[in-house]
Amino acid sequence: MPLHRPNRHRGFTLIEVLVALAIAGLVLAAVAGVFGTGVLGHEIAADANIALDLAEEKLTDAEAVATVRPGRNGGVYAGRFDWQVSIGAYENRAEAAAATNPPSGVMSSPTFRLYRIEASVAWRDGRHRRQLALSTLRLLPEPP
Amino acid sequence: MSETVRRRVAGFTLVELLVALALVGIVTLLLVQGIGLAALGFDRVSRGAERLDESRGVDQVLRRTLGSAAAVHGNGPGIGFSGDAVRVSFLSLVADSGAGLYRVDIALDVSSGERRLVVTRRLAAPGGEPRAELSILARGVSRFRIAYFGVAALGEEPAWHDRWDGLGYLPNFMRIELDAAGAPARPPLIVRVWNAG
């Protein structure tokens, strides 16, 4: 029994060293996990940037055409970004009420109309489905 | 019995030492590989961020430069705007180097053996200005294409055209498709020409 004492104080046993290594490994794995999240975040940001560029481009493109017709248009960019542009007459309840009952002295202009143009882009990264949409209003001549 | 005890207290056996060495070796190997992978990932992310930044910067410069195209009559034939699918030349009042009327050329330059997108600005002085301010927007260009949106002929609907030349007015929009080597493909850039019609 007294012989065991000095033995226990001489150093670590192999099991202790292994446990310490396992703990150090877990900590390192956690650090690596944080790093992985950072890398993934960058990928997501890069995809979102492409989607934003795409939505901006489609919105400007839709705006550019002076002869806007209500409708939908869509497609796929780079194989994984689904884009859709929708153009519709902008309806606003207060505005509609004002139109049916125009204030006196205000001439209504029947040849122009307010349109809402929306460009949305949806894409998938991993198991997440992400989407962003931009919209704008344009006063355009009413199609004949 | 007393001899066994003394031997156990004296230190590790060779086998124990070898096992310990092997374990430490494996852990070190994993650690080194992990660090290498992390460095690689970090490098990739920072390169990607840099490229993203760069292409955003190029977009900004193109947007500002093309958007500032001006229709100036009486300075040579027409309004000084001519462009086709890979080259555009126009007059602009906006420049970083000072006030004045500038001739701006944006074109793909292959003279150095590398496909570069080059912007050239020179004072639109009569007789030509020899000094030109040249800046390289992108290197290793794999695709470059310009399109012009507007009414190209009387009575026509506005549409996208491959060239815009000899018309008395500016296009309403310009669309630039630009891909550089190594960078991910990006959607085209559409620029509104603020001085148009």
Side-chain angles (χ1 to χ4, degrees):
Chain A
M1 197 62 180
L3 274 174
H4 276 263
R5 264 223 147 99
N7 190 20
R8 284 202 58 165
H9 283 271
R10 281 190 74 104
F12 309 114
T13 66
L14 196 58
I15 300 293
E16 281 169 342
V17 171
L18 283 180
V19 168
L21 276 175
I23 292 172
L26 281 177
V27 169
L28 283 174
V31 171
V34 168
F35 191 81
T37 309
V39 173
L40 215 67
H42 173 260
E43 300 282 316
I44 292 166
D47 276 357
N49 195 56
I50 292 178
L52 182 63
D53 280 351
L54 185 63
E56 263 178 1
E57 188 239 332
K58 294 300 171 195
L59 196 67
T60 321
D61 197 29
E63 265 189 287
V65 187
T67 51
V68 169
R69 306 259 190 288
R72 275 170 184 284
N73 190 10
V76 179
Y77 175 78
R80 62 202 187 92
F81 292 93
D82 287 314
W83 60 270
Q84 196 163 68
V85 175
S86 64
I87 301 169
Y90 179 71
E91 297 297 350
N92 180 307
R93 221 172 280 164
E95 189 200 9
T100 52
N101 203 356
S104 54
V106 175
M107 286 244 302
S108 65
S109 166
T111 51
F112 278 84
R113 205 189 166 110
L114 204 55
Y115 285 93
R116 184 168 187 273
I117 307 172
E118 184 178 281
S120 66
V121 178
W123 73 101
R124 184 170 273 289
D125 70 72
R127 55 186 189 282
H128 292 284
R129 189 168 168 76
R130 298 178 191 275
Q131 186 174 15
L132 65 83
L134 300 176
S135 70
T136 186
L137 293 176
R138 286 278 276 170
L139 194 64
L140 293 162
E142 188 132 37
Chain B
M1 182 69 182
S2 76
E3 197 174 293
T4 352
V5 169
R6 230 188 43 225
R7 254 185 54 207
R8 286 201 57 173
V9 173
F12 310 114
T13 66
L14 189 61
V15 173
E16 279 171 343
L17 195 70
L18 284 179
V19 168
L21 271 177
L23 278 171
V24 169
I26 288 169
V27 168
T28 313
L29 204 73
L30 286 175
L31 205 68
V32 165
Q33 268 180 351
I35 289 172
L37 207 68
L40 215 72
F42 185 80
D43 214 39
R44 214 182 109 192
V45 167
S46 72
R47 251 209 315 268
E50 210 171 287
R51 264 206 306 265
L52 207 68
D53 235 30
E54 217 168 87
S55 55
R56 287 243 122 180
V58 169
D59 282 5
Q60 206 111 77
V61 169
L62 281 175
R63 225 184 263 279
R64 199 183 43 179
T65 312
L66 289 170
S68 75
V72 182
H73 292 273
N75 196 292
I79 54 160
F81 187 104
S82 76
D84 57 33
V86 292
R87 180 202 67 82
V88 62
S89 174
F90 54 90
L91 294 166
S92 169
L93 289 158
V94 181
D96 300 325
S97 44
L101 185 64
Y102 289 85
R103 154 82 43 202
V104 182
D105 289 276
I106 298 177
L108 202 60
D109 173 42
V110 291
S111 60
S112 64
E114 190 190 21
R115 289 165 65 84
R116 308 180 303 179
L117 182 61
V118 176
V119 178
T120 318
R121 280 190 193 82
R122 56 168 63 88
L123 264 173
E129 165 70 36
R131 277 183 305 125
E133 185 193 310
L134 193 139
S135 45
I136 296 157
L137 273 188
R139 291 171 191 278
V141 175
S142 55
R143 190 171 65 114
F144 178 63
R145 213 181 138 77
I146 316 175
Y148 311 86
F149 185 88
V151 180
L154 215 69
E156 261 181 31
E157 293 266 290
W160 288 106
H161 299 283
D162 274 344
R163 23 184 332 113
W164 196 272
D165 210 347
L167 294 163
Y169 45 90
L170 296 167
N172 295 87
F173 291 90
M174 278 186 252
R175 183 178 61 205
I176 315 288
E177 290 165 49
L178 173 66
D179 283 336
R186 284 157 51 80
L189 173 78
I190 297 183
V191 181
R192 183 192 296 272
V193 181
W194 293 102
N195 293 314

